[in-house]
Amino acid sequence: MSDEEQSPEPKPSRAMGKEITMNPLQEWGEEIEDGAIYGVTLRRVRTETPPEDNLAVPSCPGYVHYKTCKVRSLRAGTLQKLVENLLVEYQGTDTAYVPTFLSTYRSFTNPQKVLELLLDRRLEKVGNEETLPPGSPVPDVLRVQRVIRGILQTWLETHPQDFLDTPQCLHLISSYLTHDSRETSNHLLHLVQSLEEEGKQDVTLQEWRLSTQPSEHNKESADASGNIPELLSYPSQEVAEQLTLIDVDLFQRLQTCHCLGSIWSQRDKKENRHVAPSVRATVAQFNAVTACVTASVLNDIQLRPQQRAKVLEKWIGIAQHCRFLRNFSSLRAILSALQSNSIYRLKRTWASVSRDNLMVFHKLSAIFSDENNHEMSREILNKDEIPLRRTHSARNEPRPLRRSASQVHSSRPTQGTVPYLGTFLTDLIMLDTALPDFVEGGLINFEKRRKEHDVLAKIQKLQLTCRHYVLTRKPEFIQSFYAHRQLTEDQSYRISRTIEPPADSCPNSPRIRRKLTKRFSSLLLGSEVFGPKLNGERVSPSGSCSSCEIDEGLIAALIPAESASSQNFTEPLTPPATPIRDDLSRPVSSPRSPVSPSCALPVYNQQIADLCIIRVSMENTHGNLYKSILLTSQDKSRVVIQRALHKHNIESCQPDDFQLVQILSEGKELTIPDSANVYYAMNTSANFDFVLRRRVKES
């Protein structure tokens, strides 16, 4: 729908020294149809000059012609309406609709259902041709068929895993193409056949362990010969490059739909133990790096502080090379290990680290500061050049990185980037927590899917940059990495206390701003594990390296048999084998339109629009997990306690048996009164972390 108007060229005006230009877009409102809600925008676009006799104003310089178009975008609808809209928006005005739908539809349906509706739409169009009243225009059936083929081709090319997971969908497409002899795409048939061949192969979680890991035969022969070199015997740059190769391989294999909060949060169900394998593989590698760093620092208890400081400096140098390579995943893993309580508390060791290396460590740690919702790390991901400058006087100064021939010819080469995936998964979990899946009338909230796709699109863009890495794989390093001794968190802390008994505080440890240093999935899932309590000494959660869920099938090869047998691997290094569900609360629909694109979203550690997200754990539970809860300005203590008990699957207890306590810094606490409004009673300058503490019964 459009209306034409002619008007002079709008000239910019100036007000207080600033130019003001006419906004070509204007929000008009919403249109509600049967089974769908559309957002309406008026768009003013410039058009070609119409014929002279149609001009309302004589043609002359300074006059241009505009057309006002009414543009509709689907905000919510039934599944059938969403699928039908694929045909409307394919090569239509809403160019983001098709990629958004294909990236997020698994949140509310499955591939087979979408495909059946898509192909039924074609049959419906063809069937309507026989029942049209006399004089009605005949539908463009051939055009509809071409659009369906275009959608199928886009789907097969961009999301092939959907069809590998559900082979019956390939049979539906093959049947559709076989019975349609008028206009069959050879390329589309080739895509289907290639996926059918690939689907015949045994696709299991072992694929996600990648070819980078050595085979059992190679590991046995290497162990027998004793020729596996020490991991830290390699130059720092080489270690960073090999870790980057592993991370690049994992990141390129990542299926972005696995990152959706509604999918990742279902991983704890028994029937979903293999859900989101690509994210699980990334988590496993992250934790393998962290465990490797920790073990290399603590492995030899006979080292003098100066010798152990050399190991820290080695890892700081490796971390700096990861920064130059823009591998933020291994960079974060190394820093998480160095900031873990087991290593951070070694004051005599840190006192022997050179000032220049400490300065580099501070700069690298600042990248992942959680201030302003991790603003610094987000900005760095969008930059092509590396802002971190090297200190020329530093020991273990990295050599300038060798550039490939394809990079040298450009003054500003495109760089590959491997992000820390936890930042994106945190965003997706916050979105899943803050926005409802359905709006009034049971319609699917597609505005929520648009916001999720904005995050997924950033991941996909970074995946494309990984093609610019030019690095050479070294199998002997892979053997050294996976043969390295691993320690559980409990073992690491006990060894650390043996190296330096807890006689006093740690004034010489690097003073960086550490807010709940976490392992990978703790940031992803909004849950973490407190450090161990030994000999009555309580470890502050702000100084602990918390645990993360690791898929046992993926990580089994990373742990030596003696370590695995000495203690159950899932405790305390990981949550239980069947993880506690980390469901996220859904907000109650407000009188305002729940699909409004301008609504403010709550984020962790910030109160926005009378909403915020807090994390609540159960006290005195080994391997304690946080649960994310959406808190409104109307929630009283009892309501929050009841919701937290439900999240922790503790339905047998009564809310009156517990107190809600906020964990502050330096071992301080804030007990929320029973009748208080938690939103206003909490300390907003501290982390939004709470525990449920059972009340002491009076005798």
Side-chain angles (χ1 to χ4, degrees):
M1 176 180 178
S2 64
D3 297 317
E4 289 191 358
E5 62 176 11
Q6 295 82 32
S7 60
E9 176 78 48
K11 299 180 180 179
S13 60
R14 291 185 176 273
M16 299 182 65
K18 297 182 180 179
E19 284 194 356
I20 300 176
T21 57
M22 183 179 297
N23 188 355
L25 297 176
Q26 180 181 354
E27 293 291 336
W28 188 255
E30 290 184 345
E31 291 184 355
I32 301 177
E33 295 183 358
D34 185 24
I37 299 176
Y38 295 90
V40 181
T41 304
L42 299 182
R43 181 173 299 172
R44 196 163 180 260
V45 295
R46 188 170 178 172
T47 62
E48 297 180 359
T49 304
E52 194 71 30
D53 54 354
N54 291 336
L55 285 177
V57 181
S59 178
C60 63
Y63 280 88
V64 293
H65 302 273
Y66 290 90
K67 179 171 65 175
T68 301
C69 304
K70 187 178 84 169
V71 181
R72 299 202 313 173
S73 62
L74 189 63
R75 291 186 174 178
T78 62
L79 178 58
Q80 182 172 352
K81 284 291 185 181
L82 295 182
V83 174
E84 289 177 0
N85 204 52
L86 290 171
L87 304 179
V88 177
E89 297 300 349
Y90 183 77
Q91 297 180 341
T93 56
D94 190 356
T95 56
Y97 183 82
V98 174
T100 299
F101 181 91
L102 294 179
S103 296
T104 62
Y105 75 89
R106 280 180 174 268
S107 299
F108 49 84
T109 187
N110 58 72
Q112 186 169 356
K113 184 63 176 177
V114 172
L115 191 59
E116 290 173 351
L117 289 174
L118 182 63
L119 301 185
D120 284 347
R121 178 64 179 169
R122 167 190 174 270
L123 299 175
E124 178 185 345
K125 277 285 187 182
V126 175
N128 284 342
E129 188 174 350
E130 301 176 357
T131 59
L132 290 173
S136 299
V138 177
D140 189 354
V141 177
L142 291 179
R143 177 186 173 278
V144 172
Q145 294 173 355
R146 286 194 296 269
V147 169
I148 291 177
R149 282 192 199 86
I151 295 172
L152 290 176
Q153 180 173 330
T154 301
W155 192 357
L156 288 165
E157 290 176 342
T158 58
H159 301 277
Q161 194 64 39
D162 292 0
F163 301 93
L164 295 176
D165 294 341
T166 52
Q168 58 270 31
C169 290
L170 291 175
H171 300 323
L172 287 174
I173 297 177
S174 298
S175 177
Y176 167 74
L177 296 175
T178 302
H179 291 87
D180 186 7
S181 59
R182 284 173 289 187
E183 189 181 346
T184 300
S185 170
N186 292 330
H187 180 62
L188 190 57
L189 278 174
H190 177 71
L191 284 175
V192 173
Q193 292 169 359
S194 62
L195 286 176
E196 286 177 339
E197 290 297 323
E198 187 176 349
K200 293 177 182 178
Q201 302 175 5
D202 184 22
V203 180
T204 65
L205 275 178
Q206 297 299 324
E207 176 186 354
W208 298 105
R209 293 171 65 177
L210 307 175
S211 60
T212 57
Q213 297 190 19
S215 64
E216 294 299 326
H217 173 73
N218 290 338
K219 286 197 289 186
E220 290 176 2
S221 61
D223 290 339
S225 62
N227 291 329
I228 299 180
E230 286 292 329
L231 183 66
L232 295 184
S233 65
Y234 293 93
S236 298
Q237 178 176 331
E238 196 167 309
V239 176
E241 290 176 350
Q242 295 305 305
L243 292 177
T244 299
L245 275 171
I246 299 175
D247 290 331
V248 166
D249 201 354
L250 283 167
F251 186 53
Q252 287 182 314
R253 292 171 180 262
L254 178 72
Q255 300 293 317
T256 55
C257 66
H258 293 168
C259 302
L260 292 169
S262 57
I263 292 177
W264 182 233
S265 63
Q266 299 299 312
R267 74 205 174 281
D268 56 319
K269 291 185 177 180
K270 181 176 289 187
E271 65 271 19
N272 291 336
R273 289 193 62 185
H274 301 309
V275 74
S278 59
V279 178
R280 291 177 184 269
T282 304
V283 170
Q285 174 61 20
F286 183 97
N287 281 350
V289 174
T290 301
C292 184
V293 176
T294 303
S296 66
V297 175
L298 303 175
N299 202 23
D300 189 352
I301 62 174
Q302 302 299 327
L303 290 179
R304 298 195 306 270
Q306 294 81 1
Q307 294 172 314
R308 203 177 309 279
K310 291 293 184 181
V311 180
L312 292 181
E313 291 178 349
K314 179 78 172 185
W315 281 112
I316 292 173
I318 294 171
Q320 190 175 19
H321 274 296
C322 288
R323 173 65 182 92
F324 295 151
L325 289 167
R326 293 179 64 82
N327 178 5
F328 297 101
S329 183
S330 286
L331 171 60
R332 181 62 184 265
I334 294 171
L335 294 178
S336 294
L338 297 180
Q339 295 171 11
S340 68
N341 201 62
S342 301
I343 296 177
Y344 182 81
R345 62 177 298 279
L346 301 176
K347 63 174 185 177
R348 289 190 289 273
T349 300
W350 283 105
S352 300
V353 176
S354 70
R355 177 180 296 181
D356 289 329
N357 277 285
L358 282 177
M359 185 181 301
V360 172
F361 178 65
H362 280 286
K363 288 183 179 180
L364 294 175
S365 300
I367 293 174
F368 299 103
S369 168
D370 58 3
E371 290 185 353
N372 297 323
N373 197 18
H374 303 277
E375 180 180 14
M376 179 176 290
S377 61
R378 295 176 191 274
E379 288 181 355
I380 290 177
L381 285 179
N382 297 325
K383 292 181 180 179
D384 292 332
E385 294 181 342
I386 300 175
L388 183 65
R389 295 187 177 183
R390 294 178 291 174
T391 305
H392 292 288
S393 60
R395 286 185 287 173
N396 298 329
E397 180 64 23
R399 301 186 307 274
L401 298 182
R402 295 185 296 272
R403 291 185 176 182
S404 64
S406 60
Q407 291 176 321
V408 172
H409 80 277
S410 174
S411 60
R412 189 176 182 180
T414 302
Q415 293 178 294
T417 300
V418 180
Y420 170 60
L421 196 60
T423 303
F424 295 107
L425 292 177
T426 299
D427 292 343
L428 290 167
I429 286 180
M430 296 303 180
L431 282 172
D432 191 56
T433 302
L435 299 177
D437 288 327
F438 300 93
V439 300
E440 187 176 354
L443 304 181
I444 298 170
N445 183 2
F446 199 72
E447 277 299 305
K448 174 178 180 176
R449 307 308 164 193
R450 292 182 189 273
K451 294 180 183 296
E452 289 177 331
H453 176 69
D454 290 342
V455 179
L456 298 181
K458 295 176 183 178
I459 299 176
Q460 294 165 354
K461 182 179 179 180
L462 291 173
Q463 284 178 314
L464 294 177
T465 68
C466 289
R467 297 176 298 181
H468 299 287
Y469 281 107
V470 183
L471 301 170
T472 303
R473 191 181 306 279
K474 296 192 174 182
E476 62 273 15
F477 172 85
I478 303 301
Q479 288 187 341
S480 299
F481 176 72
Y482 289 114
H484 201 281
R485 182 187 178 190
Q486 305 267 323
L487 299 172
T488 66
E489 190 170 344
D490 191 32
Q491 291 170 338
S492 299
Y493 192 70
R494 290 179 183 274
I495 294 174
S496 175
R497 289 167 58 93
T498 302
I499 295 171
E500 292 190 24
D504 49 15
S505 60
C506 305
N508 294 321
S509 296
R511 297 190 178 278
I512 59 174
R513 188 179 181 195
R514 301 183 305 153
K515 286 191 176 181
L516 287 173
T517 301
K518 313 171 187 69
R519 281 199 183 174
F520 192 97
S521 68
S522 301
L523 288 171
L524 319 189
L525 316 178
S527 60
E528 57 254 348
V529 181
F530 283 151
K533 299 179 183 178
L534 299 175
N535 298 338
E537 179 188 30
R538 176 171 180 173
V539 181
S540 169
S542 64
S544 65
C545 182
S546 58
S547 292
C548 132
E549 179 209 354
I550 304 179
D551 186 90
E552 293 179 0
L554 293 171
I555 202 65
L558 307 184
I559 307 298
E562 57 185 30
S563 174
S565 61
S566 63
Q567 183 171 352
N568 186 347
F569 178 69
T570 61
E571 292 186 13
L573 183 60
T574 63
T578 304
I580 301 174
R581 180 168 180 173
D582 190 24
D583 291 332
L584 300 173
S585 302
R586 309 286 186 191
V588 180
S589 299
S590 62
R592 294 178 294 177
S593 173
V595 297
S596 173
S598 60
C599 61
L601 301 179
V603 296
Y604 176 63
N605 275 356
Q606 293 185 35
Q607 292 183 338
I608 300 177
D610 293 337
L611 297 172
C612 68
I613 292 176
I614 64 173
R615 299 187 294 193
V616 185
S617 66
M618 300 296 298
E619 191 178 50
N620 298 328
T621 302
H622 190 65
N624 200 3
L625 294 176
Y626 280 110
K627 296 299 177 184
S628 299
I629 294 179
L630 182 68
L631 182 69
T632 72
S633 60
Q634 306 299 318
D635 291 336
K636 298 295 182 67
S637 294
R638 193 179 191 280
V639 174
V640 176
I641 293 172
Q642 186 174 16
R643 195 180 304 163
L645 290 173
H646 175 72
K647 289 296 222 42
H648 284 278
N649 297 322
I650 306 176
E651 312 247 346
S652 58
C653 297
Q654 296 298 320
D656 295 336
D657 296 336
F658 292 87
Q659 284 182 314
L660 185 65
V661 180
Q662 184 178 6
I663 302 299
L664 307 179
S665 60
E666 300 178 355
K668 298 180 181 179
E669 298 178 346
L670 173 64
T671 301
I672 307 299
D674 297 339
S675 60
N677 185 311
V678 180
Y679 185 87
Y680 298 107
M682 64 189 293
N683 187 334
T684 57
S685 62
N687 285 336
F688 292 7
D689 296 324
F690 294 77
V691 296
L692 289 187
R693 176 175 298 159
R694 189 176 290 273
R695 297 179 188 272
V696 179
K697 296 183 178 180
E698 297 181 359
S699 56

